[in-house]
Amino acid sequence: IQGGIFFVNGQVRRNPATTAGVLKYNQSGGDLTINGSNSLTSNAKLEILNAGSEFNMSGGTMTIVRGGGDGTYGDLYLRPESSTVTGGEIIFNPGGAGDQDYLLDATVPLYDLTVNGSGVDDANVELLISSLELGGDLTLQTATSFLDANVNFDIDVTLNGDFINNGSYMHRENHTYFTGGAQSLLGSSSASFYDLTINLVTSLTLSGDITIINDTYINSGTLICGDYTANALGDVTNNATYTDNASGIVLDGTALQFIGGTGTWGQLELDNSNGA
């Protein structure tokens, strides 16, 4: 797909009578929409796997409209033998089809991922098994947009671009990594994480308060808190630096907390009756 509009009313799948089948997918532009109408739930809306398969994306968009796939292949199943992803956006958008539950599994990095509930219809994307890595942005577009790390597997998420959170990030007990250059945490929703690791080339800038329920690791780069607070309920290890405008990190857990590391600390507030 190099340009234009490609609309698939059903799904792009293997013959349901076999697990064999190879797809070499290349997209540098254009817009693919997979409607998922009258689909087989035992196959994904788009599935790429098996020896000889490829998934290459450098531009354009891919939109999945309907969910409802089962727990084997879900709705978007990407396990190619080879892959190069340098751009492009994958979108989950019900498009007026009612509330949709999607399952996503990708063993290769993706670029931009957008979950876009219409405001009337919920778009709930649950990770199936594999950890999610994005080279670009994660966008939860509206209040009815959800990304679920899976309550049974606590699947890790790695972000190299911005996180625009206007919906709900259901992190469960996973680990979230920020590993890009100059990243921003944006959006109208309050952001929380379970374990949070910051491995930055440059910086992560907050645009609202955040809460880290378990442990926080600042390994490289700068966490720019600005006027906002990072509420740490667990231990904090700082081997880099963070800055603030008289806010910074607040230790407000309910059990004894530990702080450590060789980094530079901005404002640090202790609000825990059990100490740190």
Side-chain angles (χ1 to χ4, degrees):
I1 303 174
Q2 295 176 316
I5 297 172
F6 182 21
F7 186 85
V8 178
N9 198 39
Q11 60 195 132
V12 183
R13 58 164 173 77
R14 296 159 294 162
N15 187 321
T18 178
T19 58
V22 173
L23 177 63
K24 297 184 178 182
Y25 183 93
N26 295 277
Q27 184 173 6
S28 58
D31 301 299
L32 167 67
T33 297
I34 301 178
N35 193 33
S37 182
N38 297 318
S39 61
L40 297 175
T41 58
S42 57
N43 291 83
K45 306 304 179 293
L46 174 66
E47 48 188 21
I48 303 175
L49 68 162
N50 294 327
S53 62
E54 297 179 9
F55 178 73
N56 304 307
M57 194 172 188
S58 59
T61 66
M62 175 197 298
T63 300
I64 309 291
V65 176
R66 287 176 171 82
D70 70 14
T72 302
Y73 298 107
D75 298 291
L76 181 60
Y77 193 81
L78 302 176
R79 295 192 175 195
E81 183 179 37
S82 65
S83 176
T84 300
V85 176
T86 58
E89 180 181 16
I90 294 175
I91 304 168
F92 291 89
N93 185 347
D99 296 347
Q100 299 295 321
D101 294 320
Y102 307 95
L103 289 172
L104 164 64
D105 193 79
T107 57
V108 297
L110 308 177
Y111 203 74
D112 291 336
L113 175 64
T114 297
V115 183
N116 188 6
S118 64
V120 177
D121 299 332
D122 290 355
N124 180 26
V125 176
E126 183 178 15
L127 303 181
L128 186 58
I129 296 174
S130 305
S131 59
L132 176 66
E133 181 178 349
L134 300 179
D137 299 339
L138 171 61
T139 302
L140 306 181
Q141 192 70 43
T142 66
T144 57
S145 305
F146 305 88
L147 179 66
D148 189 340
N150 194 314
V151 68
N152 295 310
F153 299 111
D154 304 316
I155 297 171
D156 293 345
V157 174
T158 299
L159 305 175
N160 287 283
D162 295 337
F163 183 10
I164 302 96
N165 182 21
N166 298 309
S168 296
Y169 174 44
M170 303 164 69
H171 49 72
R172 307 301 181 180
E173 294 185 2
N174 80 340
H175 206 130
T176 304
Y177 300 86
F178 285 86
T179 57
Q183 295 179 263
S184 295
L185 181 54
L186 307 166
S188 59
S189 296
S190 178
S192 68
F193 306 93
Y194 188 73
D195 285 327
L196 176 65
T197 291
I198 297 172
N199 281 331
L200 301 167
V201 176
T202 307
S203 62
L204 173 64
T205 301
L206 304 185
S207 64
D209 295 345
I210 65 171
T211 299
I212 305 97
I213 294 172
N214 198 44
D215 295 336
T216 305
Y217 305 89
I218 307 174
N219 292 335
S220 61
T222 301
L223 173 63
I224 302 175
C225 296
D227 296 326
Y228 304 104
T229 301
N231 297 287
L233 278 62
D235 301 338
V236 179
T237 303
N238 176 22
N239 290 308
T241 187
Y242 70 92
T243 61
D244 61 86
N245 298 331
S247 185
I249 293 177
V250 176
L251 303 173
D252 54 358
T254 57
L256 178 66
Q257 294 175 258
F258 293 87
I259 60 174
T262 59
T264 301
W265 298 75
Q267 175 162 303
L268 181 66
E269 177 182 334
L270 177 61
D271 188 14
N272 181 344
S273 61
N274 286 303

